[in-house]
Amino acid sequence: MSELKAALFDLDGVVFDTEPQYTVFWGSQCRLYHPEHPGLEHEIKGQTLTQIYDQWFSGPLLSEQAVITERLNEYESNMHYDYIEGFERMIADLRSHGVKTAVVTSSNLPKMQAVYRYQPDFKNLFDAILTSEDFDRSKPDPDCYLKAAARLGASTDECIVFEDSFNGLRSGRAAQMKVVGLTTTNSAEAIRELSDIQIADYQNIDFDQLSSLL
């Protein structure tokens, strides 16, 4: 049995309850550019901006990418970044047991500045914060989680990944780490095959339960 040394967290839908806000933003853009595809904002959940652009805003819409990015940056600068229920207590419990923590997100640095303004103590909760600028390949590639583990000096069997999106869950699996699936974006049934346990929030999870996964 391995020892739990590192907890690696995606950001949106995992640390912060932001997914409903993104649904509002992408709903407005999808209705504007793809009125023929109602509900598209739900289909693209968990995808990186590059993936969304490549699939839905290329070709004739390529010139609109810069406009959408500007709108998104403005939107993110005014978002609410509220913790998933129980997160602060749970991460304090992990750190009290010597577990190192990291954020592993496809969010960019401008968005993270908005996060730091909204949650001034955010940086103190983590030993490392890795953003899109730190990775060569996006989720579901394991690159981001492997780099996070190396940054924290932990082997893959000593890490637990916390994710909500299909791409993120697959990334954690591909990194050969244990995966906790948050049901903030997809149902427990939908993510069961990609995660070792599924939780709605952090109210009933602690160090001992997480250690038992390894």
Side-chain angles (χ1 to χ4, degrees), residues 18-72:
T18 48
E19 286 305 323
Q21 296 175 82
Y22 278 113
T23 299
V24 171
F25 174 81
W26 283 111
S28 68
Q29 301 308 297
C30 291
R31 285 189 296 274
L32 179 62
Y33 294 105
H34 287 288
E36 80 290 351
H37 200 121
L40 178 58
E41 66 270 23
H42 300 290
E43 295 182 32
I44 62 177
K45 277 188 175 182
Q47 295 184 15
T48 66
L49 189 59
T50 299
Q51 289 166 341
I52 293 171
Y53 282 168
D54 286 349
Q55 186 171 1
W56 296 102
F57 297 92
S58 58
L61 293 177
L62 185 64
S63 62
E64 295 299 307
Q65 290 185 9
V67 177
I68 297 170
T69 299
E70 187 175 346
R71 290 176 188 150
L72 179 59

Side-chain angles (χ1 to χ4, degrees), residues 76-91:
E76 287 178 333
S77 70
N78 293 292
M79 278 174 50
H80 294 271
Y81 296 97
D82 299 316
Y83 292 113
I84 299 286
E85 197 161 3
F87 176 77
E88 291 173 282
R89 177 208 57 78
M90 192 273 295
I91 203 165

